[in-house]
Amino acid sequence: MIDKLEFFIALAKEEHFGRAAEVCGVTQPTLSAGIKQLEEQLGVMLVLRGSRFQGLTPEGRQVLTWARRIVGDSRAMREEMRAARRGLSGRIRIAAVPTALAMVARLTTPFREKHPGVTFSVLSRTSIEVLSLLGNFDIDAGITYLDNEPLGRVTSVPLYDERYQLITAVGNPYSDRDKVTWAEISQLPLCLLTPDMQNRRIIDQHLAEAGVQVRPTLESNSMIVLFSHIRTGKWSSIMPLNLAETFGFSEPIRAIPIVEPDASHTVGLVAAPREPHTPLVQALLDEAMALADDFRAHR
């Protein structure tokens, strides 16, 4: 039953019998037969079939929710037994919003020192993608904003509060200031993250609250692209304080606090709301709580 449910989950994700079979490491006839047997066992049709995959039936969408839960519990059980025999091992899959990527090492490095049998996969994703991947069991945990847009049902650990700074070269407008307002920076040539990023939506929200709008002269979903343009001295940006500190901006680049308002938003670790969590996820949540204490101590 578990194998058949995994076939079904893969098909729902890939929406193609051949690709789903490849993901599961079986032949397409084996996958098709497994799903057909699952339908016979449950007494309902799960998949709309034609010459190709045409979607799930209403019953199929119901079963998909159960399948994810059952397969997740099965994986958790196997992982717990493996941890009981050999200690923690395996791979932790994490997806993080771009502005949080720089701090992921502060979570993964001490974790791996305690559990050397664990490896990591870290992806850069939008906040919406983080929640989607988590809901589909495609990642084990995410790092995203906790207090700005709805999260749904998740287990969360607040890590730090994100505050915002104008990042600009010496000699540019406001570069000699100790602080600058949201309204003032609207006049600068800005490079910002793309609108699908929650950080950009937060920035647009605070600019709107200040009564101004910004049309950035460059948009990218890559922080590296933004950094490289700032370093030319011809562009400015709005970035979280913790990100500026991680990359160690120094002369001729300045990081200037933005006020009116002095806005902040909480970033944290999120995981699926299951009890008990897998040993790997629980250990990661414990490490996140230790990191949060460290952030608070150095605030």
Side-chain angles (χ1 to χ4, degrees), residues 210-233:
V212 295
Q213 284 186 325
V214 161
R215 289 184 180 158
T217 49
L218 182 142
E219 296 176 323
S220 176
N221 63 358
S222 166
M223 299 304 299
I224 298 299
V225 171
L226 301 188
F227 284 131
S228 64
H229 281 79
I230 293 166
R231 291 194 180 280
T232 68

Side-chain angles (χ1 to χ4, degrees), residues 172-220:
N172 283 342
Y174 310 127
S175 65
D176 59 344
R177 300 269 290 273
D178 292 328
K179 59 186 177 181
V180 64
T181 68
W182 288 92
E184 288 172 328
I185 59 179
S186 66
Q187 306 303 315
L188 297 175
L190 293 173
C191 54
L192 299 174
L193 287 171
T194 48
D196 60 325
M197 300 292 177
Q198 190 169 169
N199 171 265
R200 171 64 184 281
R201 296 195 292 276
I202 287 171
I203 288 171
D204 287 347
Q205 169 191 328
H206 291 306
L207 288 167
E209 289 168 354
V212 295
Q213 284 186 325
V214 161
R215 289 184 180 158
T217 49
L218 182 142
E219 296 176 323
S220 176

Side-chain angles (χ1 to χ4, degrees), residues 1-15:
M1 173 68 82
I2 297 296
D3 288 345
K4 294 166 191 171
L5 291 174
E6 290 194 347
F7 290 172
F8 181 57
I9 291 171
L11 179 61
K13 179 182 178 183
E14 298 297 328
E15 299 183 343

